[in-house]
Amino acid sequence: MQTPPLRYRAVFVSDFHLGAAACKADAIQHFLESLDCEYLYLVGDIIDLWVSVKSGKWRQKHTNVISTVLAKSEVGCKVFYTPGNHDALLRKINGAVLGNVLVDHSVVHTTAQGQRLLVVHGDLFDRSVTSCKPLAWSATWVYEFITVFLDWRGRFRSKTSEHPKHTAGGIKARFKRFIQQFTSFEDQITHDTREQGLDGVVCGHIHKPKMETQESGTLYINTGDWVENCTAVVEHLDGRLELIRWEDLRREIETHDLALLPHAEPLPIR
């Protein structure tokens, strides 16, 4: 079996939304197959139980992603799963180990440089979920309908380069920006992290990839998602943290010396 080209100490991913129409399952599969890491953190909304329970939504490619994760857990990779609001059912088994995968509400990761990071999905810091769950659920299904409709329309317009002005991703991005402004998501989650005496937080939920140090000195990291951005956060072997975009990394894999990739300069997030 060919050795994966990407070697990291830890990898953090969230918001696969397996079972949803917008899920980029093929990209997820390719990314996971390219990885060799000591720690793999699944930071919530990996399985979209709000959508995938409907007949016909779950496909073999979604099962393949789960199988790949489980296979990694069997060969020495330590896998942690912190459920989010779309897979909150798994919170009922917090502390359980499923096929070498530890399921818990949150975990603390210590980097090779000694930074202690809270790893948590983040939905409990979002009032649109904690106080207005029916609204969040309805928005998910509206997004699902729009995604399916645009995919259907795109198949009939494939002979032209014209693209619809408004996309499902654009609509969801505006909704997520509203959530962030309405709930002060970053401020709340970093405040809680600081209160716990930790150096930073790695979260998901709002689908906005970002890594920055707040004025308080707390490191805020959002892994992004795999429905629009296809991003992840990686810890290099020396403890450096980097926010990567799979499309950029995939091109690097195809065009450069694979052995140099884990030691390359950080790829820009555009």
Side-chain angles (χ1 to χ4, degrees):
M1 184 174 179
Q2 186 178 4
T3 301
L6 304 175
R7 179 75 177 97
Y8 300 114
R9 184 170 183 266
V11 175
F12 306 82
V13 289
S14 74
D15 296 273
F16 285 176
H17 288 277
L18 295 172
C23 171
K24 302 294 191 299
D26 293 337
I28 297 168
Q29 183 73 13
H30 192 182
F31 176 64
L32 291 174
E33 290 176 345
S34 301
L35 289 179
D36 181 15
C37 57
E38 184 177 351
Y39 303 96
L40 175 61
Y41 291 91
L42 308 175
V43 195
D45 284 2
I46 300 302
I47 301 174
D48 196 325
L49 294 176
W50 290 8
V51 173
S52 63
V53 292
K54 185 176 180 180
S55 177
K57 287 294 184 181
W58 190 268
R59 309 291 177 82
Q60 182 61 45
K61 60 185 179 181
H62 303 135
T63 299
N64 293 343
V65 170
I66 299 298
S67 298
T68 300
V69 170
L70 291 175
K72 288 187 175 298
S73 74
E74 294 174 354
V75 292
C77 179
K78 300 178 179 64
V79 182
F80 302 87
Y81 192 151
T82 63
N85 50 309
H86 285 253
D87 45 18
L89 184 64
L90 292 175
R91 287 176 175 158
K92 294 184 177 181
I93 57 171
N94 278 353
V97 178
L98 304 177
N100 297 325
V101 177
L102 173 64
V103 180
D104 214 334
H105 168 64
S106 65
V107 294
V108 175
H109 172 75
T110 303
T111 71
Q113 296 182 359
Q115 292 175 297
R116 299 176 68 233
L117 305 175
L118 175 67
V119 183
V120 63
H121 182 65
D123 58 296
L124 297 182
F125 298 89
D126 173 7
R127 287 198 297 271
S128 72
V129 170
T130 58
S131 302
C132 309
K133 186 174 181 179
L135 174 62
W137 186 89
S138 299
T140 293
W141 274 105
V142 169
Y143 177 65
E144 183 74 6
F145 172 79
I146 293 173
T147 300
V148 172
F149 172 75
L150 290 178
D151 286 346
W152 172 81
R153 187 172 71 168
R155 285 195 293 271
F156 285 91
R157 302 177 66 178
S158 60
K159 294 183 180 181
T160 176
S161 60
E162 182 182 357
H163 297 282
K165 183 177 180 180
H166 299 291
T167 66
I171 294 171
K172 191 165 191 176
R174 286 191 289 273
F175 180 71
K176 291 293 183 177
R177 283 196 296 270
F178 167 76
I179 287 176
Q180 187 173 357
Q181 294 171 359
F182 176 70
T183 65
S184 301
F185 178 81
E186 291 184 19
D187 293 339
Q188 291 191 44
I189 200 169
T190 52
H191 174 76
D192 183 78
T193 300
R194 190 165 60 254
E195 288 292 302
Q196 295 185 49
L198 301 173
D199 299 305
V201 59
V202 181
C203 61
H205 185 56
I206 63 171
H207 295 203
K208 183 180 179 181
K210 186 176 183 179
M211 184 166 66
E212 70 174 19
T213 300
Q214 304 285 341
E215 291 183 2
S216 63
T218 304
L219 181 62
Y220 170 82
I221 301 174
N222 194 297
T223 64
D225 67 276
W226 289 79
V227 295
E228 294 295 335
N229 297 292
C230 293
T231 52
V233 170
V234 299
E235 180 193 351
H236 291 272
L237 301 182
D238 61 3
R240 287 183 298 118
L241 295 168
E242 179 186 351
L243 180 59
I244 61 96
R245 189 180 297 275
W246 169 240
E247 184 61 26
D248 296 334
L249 201 56
R250 182 186 60 80
R251 286 196 295 265
E252 292 287 333
I253 291 175
E254 294 174 351
T255 59
H256 292 83
D257 183 356
L258 303 185
L260 296 179
L261 280 177
H263 309 288
E265 290 299 318
L267 299 172
I269 296 293
R270 292 187 288 271

